[in-house]
Amino acid sequence: MADQTYWEDVSDGQEIPSFFRKTDLMNWNRWASVNDEYVPMHMDDDAAKENGQPGAFGQGPLRFSYLHSLLRQFAGDDGDVVLVRVQMRGINFKNDELTCTGKVTGKRVEDGRHLVDLDIAITNQRGEAVTPGQGTVELPTRG
């Protein structure tokens, strides 16, 4: 993992390093094999078309995991992901380019825990925020 992020080094409005994925059947198949989620409309264009979509599309929980990975990367080895909350507002199709971003919205100390709140989102190559949300991480302190 990258350098450790410390609570003292984070400020409101700070953007965190982004996380990128180009979606395709290889990524979806790996996700499906681990989670036993071989749903035809996620793997087969014809099945998706029968459900009113132009082609196969990605699994919502996979996008959730992308945002969890974004927060995990930011928190570092000594930090923890406390909360991930997302809204599925769009569909991602094969070969979409998804960028996960985050921006610090606040810092607080609660019950001795040093917490950082963030707005997070997945945006596709067309600039559509297909998965907005919020996250909270607990970070170590320097003191």
Side-chain angles (χ1 to χ4, degrees):
M1 197 157 293
D3 294 330
Q4 180 61 52
T5 304
Y6 291 92
W7 189 80
E8 292 86 353
D9 299 330
V10 174
S11 58
D12 285 352
Q14 175 182 341
E15 293 185 11
I16 67 172
S18 62
F19 185 87
F20 174 83
R21 284 289 184 265
K22 182 171 182 176
T23 62
D24 57 23
L25 285 176
M26 180 185 69
N27 289 317
W28 296 344
N29 279 325
R30 281 190 300 213
W31 173 262
S33 66
V34 170
N35 294 284
D36 193 26
E37 193 175 320
Y38 285 103
V39 178
M41 66 184 121
H42 293 306
M43 304 293 157
D44 180 66
D45 287 334
D46 291 333
K49 289 175 184 175
E50 289 174 12
N51 284 283
Q53 298 301 325
F57 54 95
Q59 303 94 328
L62 177 56
R63 283 188 282 158
F64 178 94
S65 77
Y66 290 164
L67 287 171
H68 186 275
S69 294
L70 172 79
L71 294 171
R72 184 78 225 127
Q73 173 183 285
F74 173 64
D77 289 340
D78 295 331
D80 287 311
V81 175
V82 175
L83 171 80
V84 183
R85 181 181 307 136
V86 303
Q87 298 174 10
M88 301 298 174
R89 292 194 181 169
I91 295 174
N92 69 286
F93 296 97
K94 281 187 291 188
N95 299 314
D96 273 356
E97 296 176 356
L98 303 179
T99 302
C100 303
T101 57
K103 186 175 184 176
V104 175
T105 59
K107 292 171 53 171
R108 57 197 159 92
V109 178
E110 192 174 284
D111 297 325
R113 300 170 75 191
H114 292 78
L115 304 173
V116 176
D117 298 313
L118 303 101
D119 280 338
I120 55 178
I122 297 177
T123 305
N124 65 21
Q125 71 276 10
R126 293 177 296 281
E128 301 164 337
V130 294
T131 315
Q134 297 82 39
T136 300
V137 296
E138 180 179 5
L139 296 178
T141 65
R142 293 190 182 278

